[in-house]
Amino acid sequence: MQILSEARATVVLALPIIGTQLAQMAIHTTDVLLLARYSEAALGGAALGMALFYILWVMALGLSMATPAMAAQVLGRDVQDRVGVRHAVHDGLILTGLFGLIAMGILWASGPIFRLFGQPQQLIEIAVPFLQALSFSMIPTLWFVVLRSFMAALERPRAAMVLMVLAIALNAGVNIVLVFGGQLWGMRIPALGAVGAGIGSSLVNTVILIALGWVLARDAQFHSYQLLRDWWRSNALRLKAYLRIGLPIALTLGAEVGLFSIAAMLMGRLGTAEVAAHQLAMQLASIAFMVPMGLSQAATVRVGLAAGGGDVAAAARAGWVAVVLSLIFACASALTLWQFSGHAIALFLPDGTSPVFGLAVGFLAWAALFQLVDGVQATANGALRGLKDTAIPMLMAGFGYWIVGLGVAIWFGFFTPMRGNGIWLGLATGLAVVALLLVWRFQYRIRKLQA
């Protein structure tokens, strides 16, 4: 009965988070759909640009994940401690804002980075201006995540989901005009291609952040935390405590997404068709991954609440229930991707005779395989964050992704006939190693707390 009750509570909390993340992914998916119809070159250039953008954005996302971990433990100890929760939110806004400014500078100067990795000049000429336009979405999206994490810690994430669903329609309408050209707010807009997609995404994410701020100000429970009160003020001790939790999470997620981004750059060395196909397959895999990612964040909150209250048995139950739920979904999504890979790719690229189409279908079969381990590693990591255990998982992720995963990808991608399929084999292998290590780590930590 306790297991069923925990599963119900996890699902209720996770569903709005999953919906929000799927909506955020849908915004980018809309851009991919539009660019795939604009030109393969625009799709390839944007894919190359997003490889760098997501390394930086996901690292900052990991930094922000200290907010729900710290806030949940504060609420587990004392549900009336509004000051402690407010400090967790404020420190998240300050540190992600600073990181966002640094990331924007890197994106504006991305050309030499791509040349260092030997990317084709024709893709660089598209990727750099695309990233410069998209860079203005960095801070709005990160602050949205921090505020959404605060709402999740209070187990009320639904409003953020509604706003993100509205953002899908707004993004589609704006970007259709900016990518292909047309009338927007009485102005004649030329076809801007990939740059238009970057501009549109930045505009929409800024609008949605403002809308979320309005919701927080109007809601009585959220308003009682007085999040606007001296939000820019902190101190060295608080920031150090936040970084002790958030920085390892940032580096862990950076290691994972960095592996995928390096994989995209490795694909770029194989050819334009390979990197475009990689982007399509990765887009579909990323959509499926939003469910275990949402379960991971729910696990952080549920485990954190139990651990903050000193209930180790409840913390263990929350973590294992989330892992099992994630594995069940992963089996279903893997089967779906495997059986309907051609139909899924056709949504983005109707021309079934294109070289990109055939490569993408093959890559998606590998994506189906690693669904089984990707969800487990994400959820186990979320459960460990609820215990404020982030440093050792960071080292485990670095080993699995960059030593095992990247090593396998380079060997099979460039020294065997597998080429792009070999790179995807490396991704699946790295994820499998990390999943095993993190599940062992959660079991070990629970046993130590029970001793």
Side-chain angles (χ1 to χ4, degrees):
M1 183 62 71
Q2 286 182 322
I3 292 176
L4 290 177
S5 178
E6 180 60 43
R8 190 180 304 110
T10 300
V11 169
V12 168
L13 175 59
L15 281 176
I17 298 174
I18 293 168
T20 302
Q21 294 185 160
L22 285 172
Q24 287 178 318
M25 183 58 64
I27 290 177
H28 180 52
T29 303
T30 301
D31 295 345
V32 172
L33 283 166
L34 295 175
L35 293 175
R37 284 161 171 74
Y38 185 80
S39 73
E40 287 188 6
L43 176 61
L48 181 61
M50 289 307 301
L52 177 59
F53 181 89
Y54 267 118
I55 291 177
L56 299 170
W57 187 82
V58 170
M59 288 183 69
L61 175 66
L63 193 63
S64 75
M65 286 183 179
T67 295
M70 298 178 75
Q73 288 223 358
V74 167
L75 292 170
R77 289 191 299 269
D78 180 2
V79 73
Q80 299 298 325
D81 188 358
R82 285 173 168 73
V83 174
V85 174
R86 183 166 66 242
H87 285 172
V89 176
H90 288 178
D91 294 341
L93 292 173
I94 291 169
L95 290 170
T96 56
L98 291 173
F99 187 96
L101 290 173
I102 295 170
M104 289 178 68
I106 294 172
L107 295 176
W108 272 80
S110 56
I113 298 174
F114 293 133
R115 293 187 188 95
L116 178 65
F117 283 91
Q119 300 305 299
Q121 183 61 31
Q122 64 268 29
L123 291 183
I124 295 175
E125 291 175 356
I126 296 172
V128 172
F130 166 72
L131 283 178
Q132 290 173 344
L134 188 63
S135 68
F136 292 101
S137 71
M138 181 67 73
I139 292 177
T141 56
L142 293 176
W143 283 358
F144 186 95
V145 170
V146 171
L147 296 175
R148 185 196 71 191
S149 298
F150 157 71
M151 298 166 77
L154 298 182
E155 300 189 82
R156 290 189 56 198
R158 188 171 300 174
M161 179 190 71
V162 172
L163 286 176
M164 288 307 305
V165 170
L166 294 175
I168 298 172
L170 179 60
N171 184 76
V174 170
N175 279 4
I176 285 173
V177 175
L178 292 176
V179 171
F180 296 101
Q183 292 286 335
L184 181 65
W185 298 320
M187 298 181 293
R188 177 65 185 174
I189 305 295
L192 298 175
V195 173
I199 294 171
S201 294
S202 293
L203 287 172
V204 169
N205 281 297
T206 301
V207 169
I208 293 303
L209 173 64
I210 294 170
L212 184 63
W214 180 82
V215 169
L216 293 173
R218 297 278 295 180
D219 184 278
Q221 183 185 10
F222 296 144
H223 183 70
S224 69
Y225 286 83
Q226 300 180 8
L227 296 182
L228 289 178
R229 181 179 172 182
D230 296 335
W231 70 267
W232 60 90
R233 292 183 178 176
S234 187
N235 57 61
L237 288 177
R238 275 174 45 192
L239 294 178
K240 184 179 179 180
Y242 191 98
L243 287 172
R244 189 180 300 117
I245 304 300
L247 191 57
I249 302 174
L251 294 175
T252 299
L253 291 182
E256 180 180 0
V257 175
L259 175 63
F260 288 116
S261 297
I262 292 297
M265 294 185 184
L266 293 176
M267 289 288 185
R269 295 181 70 90
L270 295 176
T272 301
E274 281 82 356
V275 74
H278 176 80
Q279 172 63 23
L280 293 178
M282 186 59 67
Q283 190 67 32
L284 289 165
S286 298
I287 292 171
F289 181 65
M290 291 301 100
V291 174
M293 179 63 85
L295 287 168
S296 169
Q297 294 183 46
T300 298
V301 173
R302 296 294 302 169
V303 172
L305 288 169
D311 191 342
V312 179
R317 186 166 54 248
W320 290 123
V321 164
V323 169
V324 171
L325 288 172
S326 183
L327 185 58
I328 291 171
F329 173 80
C331 291
S333 65
L335 182 62
T336 302
L337 289 176
W338 182 275
Q339 291 293 321
F340 299 101
S341 56
H343 298 289
I345 297 299
L347 294 173
F348 297 86
L349 199 64
D351 183 6
T353 63
S354 166
V356 175
F357 185 95
L359 287 168
V361 170
F363 295 162
L364 199 57
W366 287 104
L369 175 64
F370 77 55
Q371 292 294 310
L372 299 175
V373 289
D374 199 14
V376 171
Q377 67 83 22
T379 313
N381 218 338
L384 287 166
R385 288 195 295 269
L387 298 176
K388 292 188 177 181
D389 183 11
T390 58
I392 298 300
M394 172 191 69
L395 297 176
M396 291 175 169
F399 169 76
Y401 296 139
W402 287 90
I403 304 299
V404 178
L406 183 59
V408 172
I410 291 174
W411 175 258
F412 284 92
F414 293 91
F415 297 97
T416 76
M418 291 185 71
R419 290 173 61 84
N421 289 308
I423 293 173
W424 276 80
L425 172 62
L427 298 178
T429 304
L431 287 166
V433 170
V434 174
L436 289 172
L437 290 173
L438 293 178
V439 167
W440 171 84
R441 177 67 180 176
F442 182 68
Q443 183 181 35
Y444 169 77
R445 284 301 312 275
I446 289 296
R447 284 180 176 177
K448 279 199 70 175
L449 290 172
Q450 290 172 335

